[in-house]
Amino acid sequence: MQVDAVVVAAGRSTRFGEGDKLLADLNGRPLIAWTLAALAEAGSIGRVAIVGREELLGALRAIGREVLGEALAAVVPGGARRRDSVEAGLRAVASEYVAIHDGARPLVTPALIDACVAEAAKADGAILVGPVTDTIKEVEGDTIVGSPQRGRLRAAQTPQVVRREAWLEAAALSEGDETDDAAMLARAGLEVRTVEGDPSNLKVTRPIDLMLAQALLAEREGS
């Protein structure tokens, strides 16, 4: 199965500090160029739409054209919430299933993307997940109110592949925002399958994440 992809790149980078993390230098290329290159190399991906902040659209369009060529479907402005940005991207592509990926996850591999797309075809969607290694506490204020069983927990990664119309129908059920696309589908009681991700498929949020990505990428390139 081949699907279109939406790259969500409309965040404010408030925790990154100075500059925008998507345009930060990552081993000689803008960070988002690595993200787009992985999608371009994945056999399961057809066309790619990029959703970004208004002031970055020119830069994102230039990078998208350089990396994706004719596979660049559109570069569109995002919204105030993540769900608004995802919806803008979904309306810019046309495939039955769509892979939604964080622009700030530059170390995803084509193999992971292809595996997630293949699994999604068995249900309404699929996501990459990783194990939770820390013990998680649920708190209210300064008080612990719960200790979830770690063995049942998974950390969500992207891409998250969704049936396009299912996501749009689930979004129409409520105006509430969701932190990821699996939660949006779960809102409508739809089945979302999981695929084992990779710890290196990290999201660059803070400067230390960029340093780690630089080291991991250098090791990958060297090997």
Side-chain angles (χ1 to χ4, degrees), residues 22-39:
L22 296 171
L23 304 182
D25 181 85
L26 176 55
N27 295 22
R29 304 174 79 182
L31 184 150
I32 196 168
W34 292 100
T35 305
L36 298 176
L39 291 166

Side-chain angles (χ1 to χ4, degrees), residues 82-177:
R82 184 184 187 278
R83 63 168 284 169
D84 301 323
S85 297
V86 172
E87 182 169 352
L90 290 177
R91 296 194 182 281
V93 296
S95 59
E96 180 183 4
Y97 285 80
V98 179
I100 303 167
H101 188 59
D102 294 325
R105 288 187 188 269
L107 270 65
V108 70
T109 65
L112 284 176
I113 297 167
D114 290 342
C116 196
V117 170
E119 193 67 23
K122 304 174 185 177
D124 292 293
I127 74 170
L128 294 180
V129 298
V132 174
T133 55
D134 293 329
T135 297
I136 303 300
K137 297 297 181 184
E138 183 180 357
V139 301
E140 290 182 3
D142 297 326
T143 304
I144 294 174
V145 297
S147 299
Q149 296 181 27
R150 187 169 61 188
R152 298 185 62 187
L153 300 176
R154 297 293 184 272
Q157 300 179 3
T158 66
Q160 302 193 2
V161 183
V162 302
R163 192 161 54 81
R164 181 176 175 275
E165 288 303 320
W167 191 102
L168 293 171
E169 290 169 5
L173 295 176
S174 169
E175 274 300 304
D177 199 9

Side-chain angles (χ1 to χ4, degrees), residues 3 8 13 17 29 34 40 54 103 105 110 118 131 149 157 159 177 180 189 195 197 202:
V3 306
V8 184
S13 298
R29 304 174 79 182
W34 292 100
E54 194 77 46
R105 288 187 188 269
Q149 296 181 27
Q157 300 179 3
D177 199 9
D180 76 345
V195 176
L202 57 85

Side-chain angles (χ1 to χ4, degrees), residues 20-24 29-37 40 50 56-69 72 75:
D20 191 287
K21 62 187 178 184
L22 296 171
L23 304 182
R29 304 174 79 182
L31 184 150
I32 196 168
W34 292 100
T35 305
L36 298 176
I50 305 172
L56 292 184
L57 293 184
L60 293 175
R61 187 174 292 108
I63 296 169
R65 286 172 176 165
E66 180 181 350
V67 178
L68 298 169
L72 179 63
V75 179

Side-chain angles (χ1 to χ4, degrees), residues 189-204:
L190 301 174
E191 180 186 2
V192 181
R193 300 178 67 87
T194 61
V195 176
E196 189 69 24
D198 190 296
S200 68
N201 184 23
L202 57 85
K203 184 176 182 181
V204 174

Side-chain angles (χ1 to χ4, degrees), residues 206-219:
R206 299 176 175 84
I208 193 171
D209 301 322
L210 181 63
M211 295 172 62
L212 181 56
Q214 290 169 338
L216 290 170
L217 188 57
E219 182 179 2

